Amino acid sequence: MQQVLQKMGVEQDILSQEEKKILSEQGYLNLGKLLSDENLNRIRNRVQKLLDLEGELAGIELEQSPNIRHSKDPGAKRLGDLVNKGEEFDVFYTHPKVLAAISFVLGDNFKLSSLNYRAALPGAGLQKLHADWPEAVAKDDYMVCNSIWLLDDFSKENGATRIVPGTHLKSALPQQVIKDPMDSHPEEIVIEAPAGSVFIFNSHTWHGGTKNVSIAPRRAIHSYFCRRDQVQQIDQKKYIQKETLDRISQEAAHILDIDQIKSISV
């Protein structure tokens, strides 16, 4: 994996010591604006075309997966399996700084678990505080790590994600500690940042969506990673398409855990 990451531009110092300290202690990190306005518009346009094309079947891959605990989300628009839905989405699992942050949390042996779109609808979006793993884990024995790519400005008005910093270090799930995980937590922060920004968060850190009280959907793409010995939310081997295999590099195929299929197809 180290050789793969090096070929993908992940250098030793791509994350500063301060960024590593924040991610280690707080459980999340703002990587800043990684998407240009031009790329942002291309991605938004592609997403809208897919929503129009897929209609009521949008997000069906999430419902078909036995490895997603909460596949139905009536308060949101969803799209699944973006790996196979356009080159616009390749950046979400190949960006060097994102891969560096994921590697810092999970170690060298990781892979993409799923790449999905979620838009919290007006009047909806509130989620209970949760961790993205069914059991509490020991410090530094982390299984999953997520990146949130903001397609809109995130604010307290439009249902931005809330995070309780440092809770990945508690070795406890929120429902074991909090009377009602739907309630606000006194230490929670709400992500507020401009569109194009990317946040990494250790998925064992307690988090959840807040209510969107604006008049427009709050859009984001989640590239979600897991340790290489864990099961992917979306089985990339099952869904991978020839067009995708032909387009992506051998290194990107390794991140998807389909490098053997890529080698055979070449």
Side-chain angles (χ1 to χ4, degrees):
M1 176 62 91
Q2 288 184 355
Q3 291 180 345
V4 167
L5 294 177
Q6 286 175 357
K7 288 183 178 180
M8 298 180 80
V10 181
E11 302 294 340
Q12 196 79 6
D13 59 351
I14 197 167
L15 286 183
S16 69
Q17 288 303 314
E18 180 63 20
E19 287 175 320
K20 292 177 181 178
K21 184 174 185 291
I22 292 170
L23 185 52
S24 179
E25 295 179 357
Q26 301 298 314
Y28 76 100
L29 175 65
N30 181 2
L31 294 180
K33 186 168 179 173
L34 299 187
L35 292 175
S36 67
D37 290 341
E38 180 181 359
N39 279 345
L40 197 53
N41 286 331
R42 287 179 64 239
I43 292 162
R44 288 168 174 163
N45 290 338
R46 181 60 180 159
V47 163
Q48 189 56 54
K49 287 181 180 178
L50 289 170
L51 289 170
D52 294 341
L53 179 67
E54 298 185 17
E56 293 184 1
L57 294 179
I60 189 67
E61 300 91 347
L62 307 177
E63 295 181 31
Q64 292 172 341
S65 172
N67 304 315
I68 296 180
R69 285 184 291 159
H70 306 291
S71 59
K72 292 189 176 181
D73 193 349
K77 292 269 191 180
R78 304 291 295 272
L79 286 169
D81 187 34
L82 294 181
V83 166
N84 290 299
K85 295 183 179 177
E87 64 180 356
E88 294 90 347
F89 304 116
D90 292 349
V91 66
F92 295 97
Y93 62 94
T94 62
H95 195 288
K97 194 155 190 178
V98 169
L99 293 178
I102 298 297
S103 179
F104 180 75
V105 175
L106 297 181
D108 286 341
N109 289 315
F110 66 87
K111 59 187 174 183
L112 183 77
S113 182
S114 60
L115 180 59
N116 307 314
Y117 164 85
R118 182 179 184 271
L121 300 175
L126 179 63
Q127 298 174 321
K128 65 181 180 180
L129 284 172
H130 63 279
D132 290 336
W133 195 253
E135 301 171 349
V137 300
K139 179 184 175 183
D140 295 329
D141 190 25
Y142 304 123
M143 301 290 179
V144 284
C145 189
N146 207 350
S147 61
I148 307 178
W149 299 67
L150 283 53
L151 300 190
D152 294 303
D153 296 345
F154 268 37
S155 69
K156 292 180 180 178
E157 287 70 38
N158 67 3
T161 305
R162 56 180 175 146
I163 299 175
V164 185
T167 44
H168 62 301
L169 303 174
K170 286 183 174 293
S171 298
L173 300 176
Q175 62 267 30
Q176 298 170 333
V177 179
I178 304 172
K179 183 176 181 181
D180 186 356
M182 294 295 289
D183 289 344
S184 296
H185 190 283
E187 298 175 13
E188 74 182 29
I189 62 98
V190 176
I191 289 175
E192 293 190 279
S197 301
V198 180
F199 279 75
I200 298 289
F201 69 94
N202 181 323
S203 296
H204 300 274
T205 308
W206 304 352
H207 64 280
T210 59
K211 185 176 180 179
N212 182 356
V213 296
S214 75
I215 61 173
R218 190 268 296 152
R219 300 169 293 179
I221 286 178
H222 298 253
S223 50
Y224 180 65
F225 297 81
C226 64
R227 273 193 349 200
R228 210 161 180 88
D229 59 355
Q230 300 302 312
V231 177
Q232 293 166 315
Q233 285 190 329
I234 298 293
D235 185 348
Q236 304 297 330
K237 294 183 179 71
K238 174 183 176 181
Y239 282 95
I240 198 65
Q241 297 177 11
K242 186 178 185 305
E243 180 183 357
T244 306
L245 279 172
D246 291 344
R247 182 183 71 243
I248 65 175
S249 67
Q250 189 67 40
E251 290 74 32
H254 187 75
I255 299 296
L256 298 175
D257 198 22
I258 57 164
D259 37 336
Q260 291 183 338
I261 299 175
K262 170 74 173 174
S263 297
I264 294 171
S265 72
V266 174

